Amino acid sequence: MPAAPDILEQTAQSTQLDTPWNVVVHNDPINLMSYVTLVFQRVFEYPKEKATKHMLEVHELGRSVVWTGLREKAEFYVQQLHQHLLLSTLEKSDGA
Amino acid sequence: MRREKSGGLALTGLDPFAVQLLREIPEAGADSDPAVQARLHPSPAGGKLQAEVEPDWEEYVRPELRSLFEEARTVVQRDLSRMKAEIVAQPDGPAEPTFRLAIPSRNFDAWLSALNQARLALAARHHFTEADMNDHARFPIASERDLRLFQIDLYGLIQEMIVRRLAGPDLRPAAEPDADL
């Protein structure tokens, strides 16, 4: 009876895409609407229409997801938004 | 308020009351009140994430932001220190001094930052709500609350003018004459 081959090492590999991260801007009653629009244009290089849409979402709904992507870049954007004194947070896009 | 040939803005005819409020811009943003600091340096995340992200943010990001905010206030302080008195003859009384403040276009970003710091700081210190901000019936100014809301509005007006200059498609060349806005 042939001997069973020894299994020296068993490895398993899996790859998983990083969960996307959201950059969220929250409403505050102090920041001017025109200023918030300008900041979105500058930080994300959004055209005025898109920047205005997000500004109105913030104003009317209380928050807007203004960008989604890798965590490192999301943190960078939140830092930029804080530099412009907007209330901004990052969150996992699955809501965690 | 006037648009200058250089591309900057000039606030003219400022009375001593307006001058006093403008001179308070840098110190308002430097307020160390905990409510003010919490608003100027909010957490970058909420919920379960906050504890994970907060330490690095405090160590690496907030010091840089504090430095940038202070730089902006210093630029504004410098422009304010260059405010000039103008004596305007009155037809029916003694000449009264008014003041002229020039905001060079190269300092627009610093002004936006310092004005915003001041507006947010005043609102945080006095716990103003959205209802307060929408209450525009505060003349004559009869209380500290009225004064601070007026101050926030005044700063917002200047901020709005600068935003229009930066956002508008009509940044005029320097050769154009000064114009009222």
Side-chain angles (χ1 to χ4, degrees), chain A residues 21 27-32 34-35 38 42 71 75 78-79 82-85 87-92, chain B residues 39-40 42-44 49 52-53 57 61 64 68-69 109 116-117 119-120 123 133 156 159-160 163 166:
Chain A
W21 290 72
N27 188 39
D28 80 62
I30 313 300
N31 273 314
L32 301 175
S34 58
Y35 175 73
L38 177 70
R42 285 178 150 193
R71 175 172 179 164
E75 287 184 352
V78 171
Q79 180 177 347
H82 282 198
Q83 186 179 325
H84 289 88
L85 294 150
L87 278 176
S88 173
T89 55
L90 70 158
E91 64 180 25
K92 285 183 182 169
Chain B
R39 176 55 191 91
L40 298 185
S43 179
L49 263 178
E52 178 190 332
V53 179
W57 206 262
V61 177
E64 187 182 337
L68 289 170
F69 292 169
D109 282 337
N116 221 22
Q117 289 176 54
R119 297 179 77 242
L120 293 167
M133 296 306 299
Q159 205 181 5
E160 184 73 46
V163 168
L166 289 170

Side-chain angles (χ1 to χ4, degrees), chain A residues 48, chain B residues 163-172:
Chain A
K48 185 161 189 180
Chain B
V163 168
R164 283 190 198 177
R165 293 304 313 279
L166 289 170
D170 61 342
L171 269 183
R172 305 280 158 73

Side-chain angles (χ1 to χ4, degrees), chain B residues 20-178:
Chain B
Q20 175 58 36
L21 294 182
L22 291 173
R23 285 187 171 141
E24 290 178 10
I25 294 169
E27 69 189 63
D31 194 335
S32 61
D33 181 278
V36 172
Q37 287 302 307
R39 176 55 191 91
L40 298 185
H41 300 283
S43 179
K48 289 181 287 184
L49 263 178
Q50 188 168 4
E52 178 190 332
V53 179
E54 188 67 33
D56 278 354
W57 206 262
E58 180 61 28
E59 183 171 358
Y60 300 111
V61 177
R62 289 203 179 100
E64 187 182 337
L65 293 181
R66 287 192 182 94
S67 173
L68 289 170
F69 292 169
E70 187 177 349
E71 279 175 30
R73 295 195 304 268
T74 301
V75 168
V76 167
Q77 178 72 60
R78 198 179 307 131
D79 286 343
L80 287 167
S81 72
R82 293 173 181 151
M83 225 177 329
K84 290 178 181 167
E86 299 173 317
I87 305 297
V88 179
Q90 301 294 319
D92 52 354
E96 289 186 3
T98 61
F99 293 81
R100 179 181 188 281
L101 169 66
I103 303 177
S105 57
R106 66 177 177 279
N107 293 345
F108 279 172
D109 282 337
W111 272 85
L112 280 183
S113 175
L115 287 165
N116 221 22
Q117 289 176 54
R119 297 179 77 242
L120 293 167
L122 286 165
R125 171 170 274 278
H126 297 281
H127 309 288
F128 291 145
T129 64
E130 187 144 18
D132 290 314
M133 296 306 299
N134 291 330
D135 171 17
H136 295 289
R138 44 181 171 268
F139 291 100
I141 294 172
S143 66
E144 173 83 7
R145 171 186 177 276
D146 292 346
L147 174 63
R148 297 311 170 193
L149 285 168
F150 176 80
Q151 192 171 11
I152 289 173
D153 281 351
L154 174 67
Y155 295 172
L157 180 68
I158 302 168
Q159 205 181 5
E160 184 73 46
M161 290 297 148
I162 295 173
V163 168
R164 283 190 198 177
R165 293 304 313 279
L166 289 170
D170 61 342
L171 269 183
R172 305 280 158 73
E176 287 211 354
D178 290 354

Side-chain angles (χ1 to χ4, degrees), chain A residues 8-47:
Chain A
L8 299 176
E9 189 178 352
Q10 192 164 19
T11 60
Q13 285 187 331
S14 70
T15 55
Q16 187 180 348
L17 287 175
D18 189 17
T19 306
W21 290 72
N22 293 335
V23 174
V24 184
V25 173
H26 306 267
N27 188 39
D28 80 62
I30 313 300
N31 273 314
L32 301 175
M33 294 163 83
S34 58
Y35 175 73
V36 174
T37 303
L38 177 70
V39 170
F40 290 165
Q41 288 178 271
R42 285 178 150 193
V43 170
F44 301 104
E45 298 184 357
Y46 287 162

